[in-house]
Amino acid sequence: MPQCGRNGHVAVAPWHFADSHNHVSGMGARFALESLMLTAPRLTIVTMALAVLAGPAAARAQDASPWDKQPHAQARLIAGSVMKSADATYLHAGVEIRLDAGWKTYWREPGDSGVPPTFDFSGSENVKAVTVQWPAPERFPDGAGGNSIGYIGRIVLPLRIVQKDPAKHSSLHLKLNYAVCGNLCVPAEAMLELVLSGDGAEETALEKEELRVPRRVAPGPGKGFGVISAHREPGGEHERVVVEVAAPKDAPLDLFVEGPTPDWSLPLPEPSGTDGEHRRFTFDLDGLPPGASAKDVTLTFTAVSGDDAIEVPIHLD
């Protein structure tokens, strides 16, 4: 696979919006009324008015946007329910991407090559913030001697949406830019819109995908699965980082690392040894932005073992 351009990964901070005007006009309602008048002249005014009012209600009940089809991929928005936690109330939605057989797309940190997706929600209405969640990715060869990180076949990225006014419906508008790769890499852009009422039918699918989002935990062995430590040691051209991970013996395990800011492009950690249920990974401190230092920084490690995944921040002295 030819190497894609590397732009750094998308920030995971939620989108925030300035106040915007509602640009939806009454044209759809007027068209519906005129059509009814032409095709059913004997309908009473009351009946026609009820038919007009039913139009927006149907739109609010929509569970998914139409598919935006691109070469080798298609994307849409799906709607879930209103969710409440101890800290916040939010709307549940998701970005679903389906890929042709053998084609792939990228995680927020794409690996040795690739382009992460970017999200522009700026046209949304009654939306204060959107947080994109990332299910655990996998490693795959990039066709140029390295490895990329991402998803194969299908992925749903859950969204948590904070409304400006919870008493009103929200309209989510997304400009999605992403890349899909098979034997070659193809850029894709989707323009997606969906009215959210908080009673979407895709909640079960969204909850299933959220189970794949890595749990954020502190360093340590956990209950047999955890990132225990990371330390620097002398290397060749660059210092090397050694990471110790606890995982059940013979269980599948992979490890990814991200720098403190999106412009860090650290190499993928590689397995370097096993001691019982402790596995070691190493990587060079390469790919830092110009002028940056690895002293006193926090790196984020994502460990994936079967259906379980954790996200662990570790401070490097």
Side-chain angles (χ1 to χ4, degrees), residues 26 36 51 55 66 72 79 86 108 124 199 224 226 237 246 253 297 302 309:
L36 286 167
H72 309 292
R108 64 183 184 230
S124 300
D199 59 356
E237 183 180 354
L253 179 66
V297 300
T302 298

Side-chain angles (χ1 to χ4, degrees), residues 81-231:
S81 302
V82 175
M83 306 298 291
K84 294 183 179 181
S85 67
D87 303 322
T89 298
Y90 57 88
L91 291 176
H92 220 185
V95 180
E96 181 178 5
I97 300 174
R98 291 186 178 178
L99 305 161
D100 287 354
W103 286 73
K104 311 166 184 72
T105 193
Y106 296 99
W107 191 47
R108 64 183 184 230
E109 167 55 58
D112 295 330
S113 63
V115 181
T118 61
F119 308 86
D120 181 358
F121 295 101
S122 58
S124 300
E125 299 171 18
N126 192 32
V127 172
K128 183 178 180 180
V130 180
T131 300
V132 179
Q133 296 187 293
W134 299 86
E138 58 185 291
R139 179 189 306 227
F140 47 81
D142 66 3
N147 288 284
S148 293
I149 311 170
Y151 309 101
I152 301 172
R154 173 186 177 271
I155 182 62
V156 174
L157 303 174
L159 306 175
R160 293 188 174 187
I161 301 156
V162 179
Q163 297 176 282
K164 293 179 180 178
D165 184 352
K168 299 179 180 178
H169 289 181
S170 295
S171 179
L172 195 63
H173 296 230
L174 170 60
K175 179 181 179 181
L176 170 68
N177 285 284
Y178 61 111
V180 294
C181 285
N183 293 324
L184 50 84
C185 291
V186 180
E189 180 181 281
M191 303 296 291
L192 307 172
E193 298 182 14
L194 185 63
V195 176
L196 302 174
S197 59
D199 59 356
E202 299 293 335
E203 182 59 35
T204 300
L206 289 167
E207 290 178 2
K208 182 179 179 180
E209 292 298 327
E210 279 205 343
L211 292 175
R212 298 178 55 205
V213 175
R215 299 172 287 112
R216 192 168 180 88
V217 299
K223 295 182 179 180
F225 179 40
V227 181
I228 300 170
S229 64
H231 67 271

